[in-house]
Amino acid sequence: MSPPRRYRHGGHWLALRGGRINLGLVLAAMRHIPAEVENLKAGRWQRTLGTGLKGRTLGIFGYGKIGSLVARYGQAFEMNVLVWGGKVPANEQRRQD
């Protein structure tokens, strides 16, 4: 009989995965990846290029582990990042009027 499995809280790793999944969904939506996959399966060539992320606005609800990672990823793509949540550190706050 094998010993029982022990489960630990994923903490950082779960947040990292969640942040990457969120940004992957944004990229898929902006580049029309699901529609282009279907076109390729049907034997048709790529029809659209989608749009870039630079200068676009990324809205994030909550600034916990996942939200802060998504914000950093958005900044890496030179996006305007807007966060709604009460835990944004003072050194990262900028008010846009």
Side-chain angles (χ1 to χ4, degrees), residues 53-69:
L53 298 178
K54 183 177 180 178
R56 305 287 269 188
T57 300
L58 175 65
I60 301 172
F61 293 95
Y63 198 72
K65 290 179 182 179
I66 294 174
S68 61
L69 282 171

Side-chain angles (χ1 to χ4, degrees), residues 24-78:
L25 292 171
V26 169
L27 289 169
M30 297 299 291
R31 296 289 184 174
H32 310 288
I33 291 174
E36 293 302 334
V37 167
E38 292 303 316
N39 284 335
L40 287 173
K41 286 180 182 178
R44 295 184 298 266
W45 289 98
Q46 182 174 355
R47 295 179 178 203
T48 64
L49 293 175
T51 57
L53 298 178
K54 183 177 180 178
R56 305 287 269 188
T57 300
L58 175 65
I60 301 172
F61 293 95
Y63 198 72
K65 290 179 182 179
I66 294 174
S68 61
L69 282 171
V70 173
R72 282 194 288 171
Y73 294 154
Q75 290 169 346
F77 281 96
E78 299 180 23

